[in-house]
Amino acid sequence: MRESARAPVALAFVLAVAACGPKKPPPPVIETQEAKIAPSPPPSVESKPTDTTAKTGDENDSGDEGGTLGEPNVKLLEPGAEPRKQLRHTFAAGSTQKLNMRARTVVKGANLPLPAINLSAPMQSSIVEVTKSGEAKFKFSAGPFKSGSGGGGGDLGGLLGGLAGGSAGGGGGAPEKVAGSGVITARGYVKEYHVDEGAKDEEAPVESGDPFPEEAVGAGARWQVKTLLNEKEGQVRQTTTYTLVKVDKKNVFTRISRVQTPVGGGADAPGAATSSGELVFRLGEIYPTGKLEMTRNMKIDVPGLDATTLKLVSEVTIKR
């Protein structure tokens, strides 16, 4: 939900899809509540040179800001313990993934009886074709969306409900369904994303997925993904740090933290957001499952609350 925060995630798809709001690369990130990524990502994050030097200091102080719109910059911070392995998806044509998303958003910062905003929807993705390089062409759909609030809050409550669960234009409720297609690499970078139903392609939610590092990693490994996003208020720098908890034959268990900061603004500026949670990536599937908690600043102009900055605090869960 573009107006509330990105997801990996994010959870990206849900966060993004629910907001129905930019183009190219979705899930989830979930994150739905995600910003729009500019329409021209590079051919693949696989081919982009990255700084893979392990780093033990503050991972957010790097001078490399990932300055190209929509192009993720992946950096390994710590390789983790032995044994180590490269994290790669092996996609199979014809495979299908079915998930269910639930999101609950609470508005803070206004002395009004604002209700919690709830959103839920089934989600599905299927692999259409796998190329020789291991990239997968996929189709996805989410919906029908069910949204609602506990009542109260008057006109402001209705407006916020539309923003948190509705269209990119700021209100109107969630779409009945969102559907489209994309291309994802073996490292998890969503390099193409097109919306065919539920929004215009240029207005569709976007995200670049959750790219794995190039290097082999083990338990305790940390890597960072930086991306420059494009929201209606302006450009936003997004930094996501992943910590590898464990890996088995099919699943990659991670903890993540994400920070979004408007270019030229600070942590308290409208559009600034933070999120954290746990994501599980099943190798060979498009979207992760898990839970994210997100807080996003939003400026709103309504009578009596002109230019007020509110906080949208959301909890998004994606399950099988």
Side-chain angles (χ1 to χ4, degrees):
M1 314 167 189
R2 231 178 89 206
E3 304 297 331
S4 8
R6 177 189 162 311
V9 72
L11 309 162
F13 173 61
V14 175
L15 297 180
V17 156
C20 228
K23 172 179 179 173
K24 267 198 155 191
V29 82
I30 249 164
E31 316 251 329
T32 61
Q33 284 174 216
E34 297 301 331
K36 302 186 220 191
I37 294 180
S40 300
S44 171
V45 77
E46 320 282 305
S47 59
K48 180 181 184 296
T50 58
D51 179 357
T52 59
T53 303
K55 180 177 177 182
T56 58
D58 180 359
E59 60 267 30
N60 292 316
D61 65 3
S62 170
D64 182 356
E65 298 297 341
T68 302
L69 280 169
E71 180 178 355
N73 182 284
V74 184
K75 174 185 286 188
L76 182 65
L77 302 175
E78 297 180 11
E82 296 282 3
R84 299 178 185 138
K85 62 180 290 185
Q86 288 185 315
L87 303 179
R88 297 292 186 272
H89 290 283
T90 301
F91 298 108
S95 63
T96 299
Q97 179 185 26
K98 294 183 179 181
L99 302 170
N100 286 287
M101 178 277 296
R102 289 183 178 276
R104 179 178 177 82
T105 299
V106 176
V107 182
K108 296 185 177 181
N111 294 320
L112 293 172
L114 299 177
I117 303 158
N118 298 296
L119 183 71
S120 63
M123 298 164 50
Q124 179 171 309
S125 65
S126 58
I127 305 298
V128 177
E129 177 185 346
V130 180
T131 68
K132 292 181 179 180
S133 65
E135 294 182 353
K137 297 180 180 180
F138 66 92
K139 291 184 178 181
F140 70 88
S141 65
F145 287 89
K146 294 182 180 179
S147 61
S149 63
D155 293 340
L156 179 60
L159 172 60
L160 292 171
L163 288 174
S167 67
E176 176 67 17
K177 181 181 179 181
V178 175
S181 60
V183 176
I184 185 172
T185 72
R187 280 178 57 194
Y189 169 47
V190 180
K191 58 185 287 188
E192 289 186 24
Y193 179 70
H194 306 284
V195 174
D196 305 317
E197 182 179 350
K200 296 179 180 179
D201 206 28
E202 68 273 11
E203 296 176 346
V206 179
E207 64 124 343
S208 55
D210 296 272
F212 295 139
E214 176 68 35
E215 301 82 1
V217 293
R222 295 190 309 132
W223 64 95
Q224 183 182 80
V225 178
K226 290 189 175 185
T227 308
L228 187 62
L229 308 177
N230 195 30
E231 288 195 340
K232 66 177 183 179
E233 295 87 1
Q235 294 183 350
V236 174
R237 297 195 187 282
Q238 175 173 285
T239 300
T240 307
T241 302
Y242 301 80
T243 299
L244 180 61
V245 177
K246 66 177 181 178
V247 181
D248 60 28
K249 291 183 178 181
K250 292 184 177 181
N251 303 288
V252 178
F253 297 82
T254 67
R255 294 193 304 270
I256 81 160
S257 63
R258 174 172 291 136
V259 177
Q260 289 179 315
T261 306
V263 173
D268 296 325
T274 60
S275 57
S276 62
E278 299 179 349
L279 297 181
V280 179
F281 300 89
R282 179 166 290 188
L283 298 176
E285 293 187 346
I286 304 297
Y287 299 121
T289 57
K291 176 186 281 188
L292 288 180
E293 294 183 356
M294 297 163 287
T295 300
R296 182 176 178 82
N297 295 336
M298 182 185 74
K299 185 171 74 173
I300 185 170
D301 294 307
V302 295
L305 287 174
D306 293 344
T308 295
T309 299
L310 304 177
K311 289 187 181 294
L312 301 187
V313 180
S314 303
E315 182 177 279
V316 180
T317 302
I318 302 239
K319 296 181 177 180
R320 297 186 183 283

